[in-house]
Amino acid sequence: MKKIMIILMVTLAAVALGFNIGCRKLISAEISDRNIAVNRINSEISAMIAEGSEDAESLISSNMGKWKIEYGDDLPDDIRFIPVQSDGKEVFYASVDKSRALCSLYNDKGEITGFIEYCYIEDDIGHVLLVGNIVIIVSFLIILVHALYMWFAVIVPFRRLSDYPERLARLRDIQRLPESRNRYFGRYIWGMNMLSDVLTSSTKRINELEGQRRTLVSSIAHGVKTPVSNIRLYTDAVRTGLYSSDHDMIVNIADKIDKNTEKIEAIAAELLRSSASSAAVADLEIRRFSVMELAELVRNEYKDRMAMKRIPFEVECSSRSVMESDKYALYRTISQILENAVKYGDGKGIKVTFTKQDEGFGISVRNSGELLPEKELPYIFRSYWRGSNASDKEGSGIGMYVANETIKALGGRVYVRRLEETSEMEFVIYIENT
């Protein structure tokens, strides 16, 4: 703040100094030009008086027009003769300032016969100088007040808050920021507190899941240990030829191996189901929001990314209706579909359309590219399933499953279809209006 104030004061001082110097130079030049005009006019009048042709007042009156042409703006606005009676020969020196000059007038005998007063109406430069200095001072005060306001209202609170994100990232479970109605940081503080709550909740959830993971690993180890031991025992018996002469016993051993294998397969299937379930959305936050807000969120988050990839991207929403759902869960679902559209599309265009329907809301995502075979569409939302067009693409086959589970948790459905006429794939999210 000290540096800012010093820079501000130096800048305004330089402006004020330059302005005053400039005005003073203009005034000095004007006074110099006026003095020259006054001296010449006074010499001319003195010469005419010395010749005795006319009196001073008549001379002044008859020559004003000529002097106006000759001296222009430097001609005094008023020239007045002041007679005086004097027998002395003392010299009178005129006192000249920027608005008035008084000069002595001599006759042909060298005697003072009077004075000539040259008067100028106050010029505008003096007013400009005064007003300019007032404006500079007022501007300085206004800027100073604003600078102080920004310092105490923005910079000081920001400095107090600047290290909070780092502490939150490193420590997670830390004290919440005190709520504030500050117009600049009130929403920021609210958002950081929400983030703190989410991170704290996530940390606790991670710890819980870690405990469950250890329990699960232990259970799997115990559950698999016995069937594997039995299979190894039976295979060793077969390998050593212990029951080679007893066909019925060999069949019985094969059946036991099959049963133990089925146990292992059941455990593996249960693991897959648990993994898929944990991938789906568990906690949803249902709130009322405008469909336009969701459309703007999608547009703002993806327009730059699509521009960098040179993919034409359009988000269309003509409805200002309000829906009651989880805006960010819907955004994550749309995002997953958009990521797939980028990955599997041909880059010629992606369009997202939001529509209000009679009993709900529809969100359509269309992209041009290779069409999935019709027979594969029923499997697209299965966990760990990947289409025939995914052989050279990275992925796990869980994204669309999670998207479908999220929409189901929100009380909606996700549909997919081929658009043969335009060579597009379209995903439609339908959410019922509650």
Side-chain angles (χ1 to χ4, degrees), residues 161-177:
L161 298 172
S162 60
D163 66 335
Y164 189 81
E166 181 181 358
R167 289 167 51 214
L168 184 61
R170 292 179 180 276
L171 304 176
R172 296 293 179 90
D173 190 8
I174 62 176
Q175 184 178 359
R176 290 162 57 91
L177 291 170

Side-chain angles (χ1 to χ4, degrees), residues 300-314:
N300 293 335
E301 291 297 323
Y302 272 90
K303 63 179 181 180
D304 292 335
R305 266 189 274 179
M306 295 298 185
M308 291 182 64
K309 293 179 179 290
R310 300 182 182 276
I311 299 175
F313 181 63
E314 182 181 355

Side-chain angles (χ1 to χ4, degrees), residues 240-254:
T240 57
L242 184 62
Y243 303 106
S244 59
S245 60
D246 191 341
H247 179 268
D248 293 337
M249 183 59 70
I250 291 176
V251 173
N252 186 34
I253 289 174

Side-chain angles (χ1 to χ4, degrees), residues 209-224:
L209 291 175
E210 179 62 21
Q212 293 176 9
R213 185 189 67 83
R214 292 177 181 177
T215 303
L216 179 62
V217 170
S218 178
S219 300
I220 292 171
H222 286 86
V224 174

